[in-house]
Amino acid sequence: MLKKRELKTLEEVSILKQSLKSCQSGCNESSKSNTETRERRIVPQGQESQVAFHAHLSNNVQNLGIHQAIHFDKVLLNEGNGYSVHAGEFVAPVSGLYVFAWTILSGDRTCMKYDVVKNSVVLAYYISDAADHDDWAVSSGTAVTRMNSGDRVWIRVSDMLFCSHIVYGAGFGTSSFAGYLLH
């Protein structure tokens, strides 16, 4: 009876060894595929990949000068600590592909011309224009850009032509600025 058990155990060990050998020869290919899949994920794994911010204005901002940054003072999220309320800008803590989104409000008979800037280069130019009517105007946009660690993005007043440059943060909505690391 003991011999039968030993033989059965030996057979099981032999089967397991064969399975292990076939797995080892195929596992390398499988692990390559898994690594490639991991690298193509939208959000990379790891603590350093958790980069996102969302801030908005808590009050209307007036008397902005040409090329003055808009300081979105109410921070709702700042994973990775990339957004600075004091500077009004986002500084990339890690290199990668980033997505930025914003909404700028203008009130009755006002308008706001503004730039979305990366390292002193204008990525986008927008206007939120209610200058000739009694109604609020809203402009929103999205930008996708590759950033190196330390690169900066902010929203600033563009030029003063024909606009009062009051940014609304209270009333029928609020102006906001958000971004996150895509990959």
Side-chain angles (χ1 to χ4, degrees):
M1 180 103 156
L2 190 57
K3 289 250 183 203
K4 281 186 175 182
R5 262 194 215 161
E6 286 176 357
L7 279 173
K8 187 171 183 171
T9 302
L10 285 174
E11 286 176 21
E12 288 173 350
V13 168
S14 177
I15 291 170
L16 288 172
K17 281 183 179 179
Q18 274 185 319
S19 295
L20 181 61
K21 281 182 185 177
S22 68
C23 178
Q24 285 176 336
S25 64
C27 282
N28 289 336
E29 290 304 311
S30 174
S31 66
K32 280 183 189 174
S33 175
N34 287 340
T35 301
E36 290 170 5
T37 301
R38 269 187 245 117
E39 289 175 358
R40 285 183 286 174
R41 287 182 181 157
I42 291 177
V43 179
Q45 298 299 305
Q47 190 68 17
E48 72 282 352
S49 67
Q50 296 178 8
V51 179
F53 77 96
H54 182 203
H56 67 83
L57 292 177
S58 61
N59 293 296
N60 299 341
V61 180
Q62 301 179 32
N63 302 318
L64 293 167
I66 294 175
H67 294 171
Q68 184 176 347
I70 300 169
H71 295 226
F72 297 88
D73 62 327
K74 179 70 173 169
V75 178
L76 305 172
L77 176 72
N78 198 8
E79 294 289 325
N81 296 315
Y83 182 74
S84 168
V85 172
H86 304 293
E89 66 183 19
F90 171 79
V91 179
V94 297
S95 297
L97 192 61
Y98 284 82
V99 176
F100 297 96
W102 57 89
T103 298
I104 302 293
L105 280 78
S106 294
D108 296 342
R109 303 218 172 262
T110 67
C111 67
M112 174 70 191
K113 289 183 182 180
Y114 62 95
D115 302 322
V116 179
V117 182
K118 174 185 163 188
N119 296 334
S120 301
V121 175
V122 175
L123 291 176
Y125 170 81
Y126 282 80
I127 186 168
S128 180
D129 188 3
D132 64 350
H133 58 279
D134 290 329
D135 198 1
W136 286 54
V138 177
S139 64
S140 295
T142 305
V144 179
T145 186
R146 183 156 305 282
M147 296 185 64
N148 294 314
S149 178
D151 283 354
R152 304 173 317 137
V153 172
W154 67 95
I155 298 175
R156 71 179 186 192
V157 174
S158 181
D159 60 47
M160 302 301 275
L161 296 177
F162 312 112
C163 281
S164 55
H165 289 95
I166 299 170
V167 185
Y168 281 74
F172 296 112
T174 186
S175 297
S176 64
F177 184 33
Y180 60 92
L181 174 63
L182 180 63
H183 180 68

